[in-house]
Amino acid sequence: MKAEYINAFYLATQDVFKLMLDLETTRLGMRVTDELVPFREANVVIGVTGDLSGSLLYSFPKHMALEMVRIMAGMEMKELDAFVTSAMGEMANIISGNALTRLFEHNYRCDIVPPQVMIGTGQSLSMATPSAIVLQLQTAIGNFEVSISLRTK
Amino acid sequence: MMWKEKYRVGAELIDTQHKELFHRVSNFIQAVQSPQPWENKLEHVKETMAFMQDYVIIHFNDEERFQAEIGYPELERHKEIHARFRAGVQGYAKRAADEGFTEELIQEFGGRLMAWLIMHVAAEDQKIGQFLRSQQGGSHES
């Protein structure tokens, strides 16, 4: 996978976190994995079609997901209920859409499939590539991962 | 409270309507997330769904008229974004009418509505404010 894919998702995540949550996001590291497995409690999977195709996985610890939605709603959230997971799904959708706009500037035309939220860890997802890049990100309210498994048409 | 001062665009009508939208969505979320039995919340939920369907049309029309008045260069693009937002609200209203106002569906709607509204006002609508200030030579005070 080319660096411009990864950077587009990193920059889009940074932008959306700043705009929607007033949070700075920094990169802790990056690793390569040969399977796409949610390793946090709150996960959003988004499919990508077009010049690039595959899957994106946003993986958040429960306490962080609840805090993200608390910041948006201005009220405490107790459970990963349909309200919280829907807001998380939409936020991941916005980040992905923003990243695809950036990729369009590099002449990749892609669309996204509506988000699917998965609660819990362990369930392996199918990958478009033999390996995926996992971006490890840090904010003041917790650390999370964005996994990118995309292949060129 | 969902509204933040940073969401101000700098045009009184738009800011007043945005505040009203945030106020209504905030009340809606509080009602949906309150620990009362679902039946007790239903009336408020239905009322807010009806309000949102009407108010997004009023607000988007007013905002588009304002953008035309100031010669906002991204008006057509902004209209498309409004159309998608409107379709999203109407889609949930239709699902609620067809499938019933279930707690699961309305919670899902609430989560999406909140994220749409914040992103739209915090990102897209701020560009109107930036344009407005650039037209006024940076001297505009909100």
Side-chain angles (χ1 to χ4, degrees), chain B residues 55-71:
Chain B
Y55 201 73
V56 291
I57 292 171
I58 294 167
H59 168 60
F60 288 168
N61 286 345
D62 284 349
E63 199 177 276
E64 287 166 14
R65 197 175 306 119
F66 176 74
Q67 289 178 26
E69 275 168 22
I70 62 169

Side-chain angles (χ1 to χ4, degrees), chain A residues 5 48-54 103 108-110 150-153:
Chain A
Y5 306 172
V48 178
T49 60
D51 290 343
L52 296 172
S53 61
L103 286 172
Y108 294 107
R109 289 167 185 269
C110 310
L150 294 176
R151 68 185 155 120
T152 318
K153 198 174 178 180

Side-chain angles (χ1 to χ4, degrees), chain A residues 14-151:
Chain A
Q14 256 190 334
D15 260 12
V16 174
F17 265 68
K18 182 72 187 160
L19 281 168
M20 297 186 75
L21 306 173
D22 286 319
L23 284 174
E24 301 294 340
T25 312
T26 52
R27 187 144 62 177
L28 274 180
M30 199 161 67
R31 63 184 174 84
V32 178
T33 178
D34 58 3
E35 56 176 359
L36 212 53
V37 181
F39 38 99
R40 306 278 196 182
E41 294 94 339
N43 306 287
V44 185
V45 186
I46 292 189
V48 178
T49 60
D51 290 343
L52 296 172
S53 61
S55 303
L56 309 166
L57 168 65
Y58 297 81
S59 215
F60 302 92
K62 180 180 175 182
H63 72 86
M64 184 176 177
L66 295 177
E67 181 61 11
M68 285 164 70
V69 179
R70 187 200 65 78
I71 293 171
M72 285 191 267
M75 61 182 285
E76 293 298 324
M77 296 292 139
K78 293 186 179 72
E79 292 301 327
L80 293 173
D81 60 16
F83 174 75
V84 171
T85 57
S86 166
M88 296 297 295
E90 192 53 33
M91 205 174 147
N93 202 27
I94 291 168
I95 293 170
S96 307
N98 189 321
L100 295 193
T101 305
R102 290 170 186 277
L103 286 172
F104 184 73
E105 290 161 14
H106 294 278
N107 296 317
Y108 294 107
R109 289 167 185 269
C110 310
D111 279 314
I112 44 180
V113 175
Q116 191 191 340
V117 178
M118 293 168 64
I119 303 299
T121 57
Q123 193 183 338
S124 184
L125 303 164
S126 65
M127 292 210 311
T129 49
S131 60
I133 303 284
V134 183
L135 267 176
Q136 297 162 302
L137 303 166
Q138 182 179 43
T139 71
I141 60 165
N143 300 346
F144 67 104
E145 287 82 25
V146 180
S147 305
I148 303 156
S149 165
L150 294 176
R151 68 185 155 120

